[in-house]
C-alpha cells in the first residue's frame, strides 16, 4: 500500500503524518509512506488545500485532519493491495517516483 501525505510542512501536516504512522502500526499493516511537499505534484491530485491524504493514488481527504479512526477505515479497505515493508523497502513495482521522499518515522 502506498500512502502519500501531501503538505508543505505545517503543524497539521506533521500531525497527519504522525496519525498515519500510528494507524499503520496499530493495524499491523505494511505500507510505503511518502511525504510529498512539491506543490506541482500536490496539484496533480487536484488538491488545493493541505494537508491531504492519498491512499493508493486516491485522495481520501484534503484541507483538514481526519481522525485516526477515519484513517484506519481507509487503510483497512485498501490493505489487500500488495504492500512493501514499513521500513521503506522497494517492491520494484515501478509505481514509485524517484523524486518523492520516503518518510521513515525512525529517522
Amino acid at each position: 500500500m502506498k500512502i502519500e501525505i501531501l503538505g508543505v510542512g505545517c503543524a497539521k501536516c506533521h500531525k497527519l503524518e504522525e496519525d498515519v504512522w500510528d494507524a499503520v502500526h496499530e493495524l499491523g499493516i505494511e505500507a510505503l509512506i511518502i511525504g510529498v511537499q512539491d506543490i506541482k505534484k500536490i496539484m496533480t491530485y487536484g488538491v488545493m488545500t493541505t494537508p491531504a491524504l492519498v491512499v493508493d493514488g486516491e485522495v481520501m481527504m484534503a484541507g483538514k485532519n481526519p481522525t485516526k479512526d477515519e484513517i484506519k477505515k481507509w487503510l483497512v479497505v485498501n490493505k489487500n493491495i500488495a504492500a512493501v515493508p514499513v521500513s521503506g523497502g522497494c517492491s520494484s513495482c515501478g509505481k514509485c517516483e524517484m523524486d518523492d521522499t520516503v518518510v521513515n518515522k525512525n529517522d
Side-chain angles (χ1 to χ4, degrees):
M1 174 181 310
K2 181 178 177 182
I3 302 169
E4 295 171 277
I5 300 164
L6 312 182
V8 294
C10 67
K12 287 182 179 184
C13 299
H14 290 294
K15 173 68 171 139
L16 177 57
E17 177 186 336
E18 181 180 318
D19 288 346
V20 167
W21 276 105
D22 289 346
V24 165
H25 288 291
E26 288 173 18
L27 291 170
I29 60 176
E30 296 180 341
L32 176 64
I33 299 174
I34 300 170
V36 179
Q37 295 185 352
D38 181 335
I39 298 297
K40 291 179 184 176
K41 171 86 176 189
I42 291 170
M43 291 177 66
T44 65
Y45 287 102
V47 170
M48 302 305 272
T49 309
T50 61
L53 180 65
V54 178
V55 178
D56 293 326
E58 181 180 348
V59 177
M60 306 311 285
M61 80 72 230
K64 65 176 189 158
N65 280 53
T67 66
K68 201 181 306 181
D69 286 337
E70 288 175 307
I71 295 168
K72 286 180 180 180
K73 181 177 73 172
W74 296 324
L75 299 181
V76 168
V77 168
N78 289 289
K79 79 176 190 177
N80 292 327
I81 298 171
V84 296
V86 173
S87 65
C90 180
S91 67
S92 300
C93 68
K95 294 181 182 176
C96 301
E97 293 190 23
M98 297 306 288
D99 63 341
D100 287 337
T101 303
V102 176
V103 179
N104 188 334
K105 192 170 186 175
N106 296 322
D107 285 349

